[in-house]
């Protein structure tokens, strides 16, 4: 916990506060009755942030949000430009939350309980807005997540992807050991693989090859959610729409066939690789890093699919993605 001066963002102690301290201070300066601020990267609000929407209309059921929730224009995280754009949007807002383009959300209240209530209301309001958009465009009378994925990616609710395609058997996770690795299968079984294993399954061979070719990879996590499976089944060249994906993964994540050589080669350029029809392989130097890559990849896929309902999806500038990834890898993530 770091004590920060609202006026100039100076702080006490030797621990450096978050680079987003300026947007928190902006809330406190603009709203003297606000005593709690939450900056989130929540799922449904992130979908809206990945679209080109400037605001979303809100029903009366969420009075803390006002008549609409505004979207602050994009700027690199931690910059003065982001602070200025967020401050300007906050000043125009009639509620206690705004969405930050390609970033997340900013919610506030008089105390802890009210701020979190606003965050939950924002998530519900965004979800309702997205579902209503899907139903209007598709002509459907009820919401089905698989049908929405089909419609968003392929333009019609047809049968391009079946439920079985999006809930298939995932690959296993694994962890490097001194002489090999441990394969963690979905049924809870753990298989210890060493260089002396004469006969390996096709999946074990893939993990074995990755660890032998990439000495910096110590953990592999597979993400096989409906959203990541859908992206892996499509021909999309998946690029960063959200800044947390850009920070942790980079400008893009390629899609390749399950051929081990193609996967190994793709991992030279990105820690996340979509394997066609199987989901996302997420790697890291440790379990936390691989898990974080998996979390932001799942959210990014969800954001891409939802944002497609609102028109063309525009990725973040690749140069800015590389800058965010560089800062994260060389500075931010190393502080732990």
């Amino acid at each position: 916990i770091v004590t920060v001066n609202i006026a100039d963002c100076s702080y006490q102690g030797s621990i450096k506060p978050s680079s987003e301290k300026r947007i928190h201070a902006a809330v406190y300066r603009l709203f003297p009755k606000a005593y709690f601020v939450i900056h989130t990267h929540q799922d449904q609000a992130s979908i809206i942030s990945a679209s080109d929407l400037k605001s979303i209309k809100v029903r009366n059921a969420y009075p803390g949000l006002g008549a609409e929730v505004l979207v602050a224009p994009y700027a690199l995280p931690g910059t003065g430009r982001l602070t200025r754009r967020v401050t300007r949007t906050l000043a125009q807002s009639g509620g206690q939350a705004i969405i930050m383009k390609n970033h997340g959300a900013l919610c506030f209240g008089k105390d802890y309980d009210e701020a979190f209530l606003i965050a939950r209301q924002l998530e519900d309001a965004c979800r309702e807005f997205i579902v209503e958009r899907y139903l209007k465009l598709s002509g459907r009378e009820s919401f089905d997540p698989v049908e929405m994925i089909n419609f968003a990616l392929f333009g019609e609710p047809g049968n391009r992807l079946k439920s079985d395609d999006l809930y298939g058997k995932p690959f296993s996770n694994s962890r490097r050991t001194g002489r090999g690795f441990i394969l963690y299968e979905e049924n809870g079984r753990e298989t210890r693989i060493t260089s002396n294993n004469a006969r390996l399954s096709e999946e074990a061979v893939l993990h074995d090859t990755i660890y032998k070719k990439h000495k910096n990879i110590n953990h592999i996590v597979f993400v096989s959610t409906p959203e990541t499976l859908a992206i892996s089944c499509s021909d999309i060249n998946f690029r960063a729409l959200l800044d947390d994906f850009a920070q942790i993964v980079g400008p893009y994540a390629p899609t390749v066939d399950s051929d081990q050589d193609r996967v190994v080669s793709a991992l030279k350029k990105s820690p996340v690789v979509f394997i066609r029809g199987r989901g996302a392989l997420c790697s890291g130097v440790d379990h936390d890093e691989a898990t974080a890559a998996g979390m932001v990849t799942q959210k990014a896929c969800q954001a891409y699919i939802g944002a497609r309902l609102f028109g063309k999806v525009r990725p973040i500038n690749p140069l800015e993605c590389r800058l965010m990834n560089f800062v994260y890898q060389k500075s931010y993530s190393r502080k732990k």
Side-chain angles (χ1 to χ4, degrees):
I1 298 175
V2 185
T3 302
V4 181
N5 188 300
I6 292 173
D8 60 5
C9 290
S10 59
Y11 59 93
Q12 299 176 16
S14 59
I15 299 175
K16 187 176 181 180
S18 165
S19 62
E20 307 295 6
K21 59 186 177 292
R22 296 184 185 88
I23 64 172
H24 288 256
V27 175
Y28 293 123
R29 287 195 296 267
L30 284 170
F31 304 97
K33 294 183 179 180
Y35 276 80
F36 207 98
V37 177
I38 314 170
H39 169 46
T40 75
H41 289 228
Q42 59 199 69
D43 290 355
Q44 302 300 313
S46 292
I47 293 175
I48 301 300
S49 81
S51 74
D52 273 345
L53 293 171
K54 302 296 187 294
S55 66
I56 66 167
K57 299 294 182 182
V58 178
R59 290 180 174 179
N60 294 330
Y62 308 114
L65 301 179
E68 63 178 352
V69 177
L70 304 181
V71 180
Y74 170 77
L76 276 169
T79 62
R81 175 176 290 184
L82 177 66
T83 303
R84 291 190 295 273
R85 291 181 171 181
V86 166
T87 301
R88 191 159 54 244
T89 305
L90 283 168
Q92 297 168 352
S93 174
Q96 293 169 245
I98 65 168
I99 295 170
M100 300 163 63
K101 171 72 173 163
N102 302 112
H103 194 133
L106 195 61
C107 309
F108 59 93
K110 64 183 180 182
D111 54 23
Y112 171 100
D113 291 328
E114 186 177 68
F116 272 91
L117 174 63
I118 295 297
R120 289 193 295 270
Q121 288 182 354
L122 176 64
E123 196 73 346
D124 291 342
C126 288
R127 182 183 293 107
E128 291 174 7
F129 190 84
I130 293 162
V131 171
E132 287 178 3
R133 174 71 172 180
Y134 161 68
L135 295 177
K136 180 179 180 180
L137 291 178
S138 66
R140 294 275 170 153
E141 295 183 357
S142 61
F143 172 71
D144 179 272
V146 174
E147 287 183 354
M148 192 190 84
I149 290 172
N150 269 300
F151 183 82
L153 292 182
F154 309 116
E156 56 184 26
N159 298 319
R160 179 89 178 254
L161 295 175
K162 306 286 189 181
S163 292
D164 289 345
D165 295 327
L166 303 185
Y167 295 95
K169 181 182 181 301
F171 278 119
S172 302
N173 300 337
S174 68
R175 172 175 64 87
R176 185 195 290 272
T177 61
R179 297 180 55 203
F181 61 94
I182 298 175
L183 202 64
Y184 300 95
E185 299 182 44
E186 187 183 21
N187 58 10
R189 179 183 176 186
E190 297 181 11
T191 304
R192 185 174 292 272
I193 309 293
T194 69
S195 57
N196 296 325
N197 287 103
R199 299 178 65 181
L200 299 177
S201 66
E202 181 180 353
E203 183 180 5
V205 169
L206 173 62
H207 288 255
D208 186 50
T209 305
I210 290 171
Y211 286 126
K212 286 179 178 177
K213 297 292 186 180
H214 293 280
K215 301 302 182 183
N216 62 318
I217 294 177
N218 296 311
H219 282 259
I220 293 171
V221 172
F222 268 95
V223 182
S224 299
T225 62
E227 292 81 10
T228 59
L229 282 164
I231 296 298
S232 74
C233 290
S234 70
D235 296 323
I236 294 166
N237 185 14
F238 196 79
R239 299 191 177 278
L241 297 174
L242 302 173
D243 61 0
D244 52 10
F245 182 90
Q247 289 171 333
I248 294 173
V249 178
Y252 73 102
T255 300
V256 300
D257 294 329
S258 57
D259 176 81
Q260 64 186 46
D261 292 333
R262 292 181 182 274
V263 175
V264 168
S265 178
L267 284 169
K268 295 178 182 177
K269 300 177 181 179
S270 170
V272 173
V273 175
F274 290 98
I275 298 180
R276 203 172 304 279
R278 300 303 296 269
L281 183 155
C282 307
S283 64
V285 297
D286 56 27
H287 179 265
D288 287 348
E289 189 167 292
T291 301
M295 291 172 65
V296 297
T297 298
Q298 156 60 18
K299 185 161 68 74
C301 291
Q302 189 176 9
Y304 180 88
I305 292 166
R308 286 276 294 246
L309 297 173
F310 301 98
K312 187 175 181 179
V313 178
R314 305 176 194 278
I316 301 173
N317 183 299
L319 292 177
E320 293 187 342
C321 290
R322 294 189 187 281
L323 175 61
M324 284 188 276
N325 182 247
F326 177 83
V327 171
Y328 181 86
Q329 295 295 335
K330 301 300 181 183
S331 177
Y332 186 88
S333 68
R334 298 300 170 227
K335 290 179 181 177
K336 72 175 183 178

